[in-house]
Amino acid sequence: MKKDHPSIQQRALDTGAAKSCVTDAKELFVKDYVFPALQANALYEGQYPLATALARPLIARLLVDRAHQEGARAVAHGCTGKGNDQVRFDVSIAALDPRLQIIAPAREWEMTRKEEIAYAKRHGISIPATSASLYSTDENLWGRSIECGVLEDPWVEPPEDIYDLTRSPGDAPDKPAYVEIEFEEGIPVRLEGQDLDGVSLIDQLNELAGEHGVRRIDHVENRLVGIKSREIYEAPAAEVLLAAHRALEALVLSRDQSRFHERVTQEYSDLIYNGLWFSSLRQDLAAYVQSSQRFVSGSVRVKLFKGSCMVVGRKSPHSLYDLGLATYDEGDLFDQSASPGFIHIWGLPVRTQARRQWLDRRK
Ligand code: ARG
């Protein structure tokens, strides 16, 4: 579902707004938020590509800019008091302009979802949710989030009708699709040999991967406010690009860089999720990630088939993969006679400990 700008604008005017401005921020979103997160391999709790969480600091930034243009003293948002988004908005707005007052009616009036829907109805505000379908959804280029309604029972399988970006893997084409993605310094720049700007590249991948049922995520996650919640995500392009980016890094980063990157990934993902995009630590980590990407250039081939996304090929001019070292065939350059000496020293602490301290060596 593509968001329909005129209807969003009309909805604002229907609520009694004197003026309504809609900003297309897709390019900014991709350049300043999505791609840095991709370079960091950001995934919250190893599952959620953070589409909603990444959009919040940008919305806050544009909101604060607009408040300044209009000379406003206060800004408002529709978050309840139970979720992560209120934290992300409030912290980001305060980081950008601590003087702005923040008004959050749903939170201040402690409204339930049903009450919010009834309130909107009473005041002629058109919203997609109805009391029969209580889902709360959020969508952008990096993915779609769906929660509430029957999904609140973590035992209930998500009904097919909640999905919008992905075809059911069972109904996906019987023939796999292959797609080649080229990266320059950790940024995807070409699809199937064609130069594309970030927004078009993500758009096209969403279309293609979604068609093949890639990818649906069912996540019971830890919210910042201490609540566990069950959320379903659809993230076609994010899934493919994250898998491809990780595969390319595996080829060009040293083992130590890869291990360190994993730690940075976790910290960076938590910062995004927890509303700390505009923090010095996030900026410092971004500088590290940026530096780590200087050799992350090359191509990755991905196979999409009935909900799965598999990397089946990768190459880079900076590859550290050395066939002469890896091969078990002729042309082996690895000096096998050096291995026993290496193993002798490597295993020294284990042997010492086993001799001195172990009573039963079989456990
Ligand atoms: N759980 C996700 C997050 O905290 C998404 C929140 C918004 N979800 C929604 N369905 N409106 O980032």
Side-chain angles (χ1 to χ4, degrees), residues 191-246:
L191 266 195
E192 294 292 302
Q194 194 194 354
D195 282 10
L196 287 174
D197 65 273
V199 173
S200 315
L201 187 140
I202 293 175
D203 259 338
Q204 287 193 18
L205 266 182
N206 270 333
E207 199 64 42
L208 177 70
E211 182 63 22
H212 286 269
V214 172
R215 189 189 166 217
R216 299 174 169 183
I217 300 154
D218 182 340
H219 187 192
V220 174
E221 71 194 35
N222 290 295
R223 280 192 198 160
L224 176 59
V225 295
I227 301 171
K228 279 195 194 292
S229 75
R230 197 267 194 106
E231 185 110 30
I232 308 298
Y233 300 104
E234 297 180 275
E239 168 73 12
V240 175
L241 289 173
L242 284 161
H245 181 259
R246 281 193 303 262

Side-chain angles (χ1 to χ4, degrees), residues 176-191:
Y178 288 85
V179 58
E180 188 176 323
I181 304 155
E182 201 175 326
F183 288 83
E184 277 172 16
E185 301 193 8
I187 304 282
V189 291
R190 242 158 260 129
L191 266 195

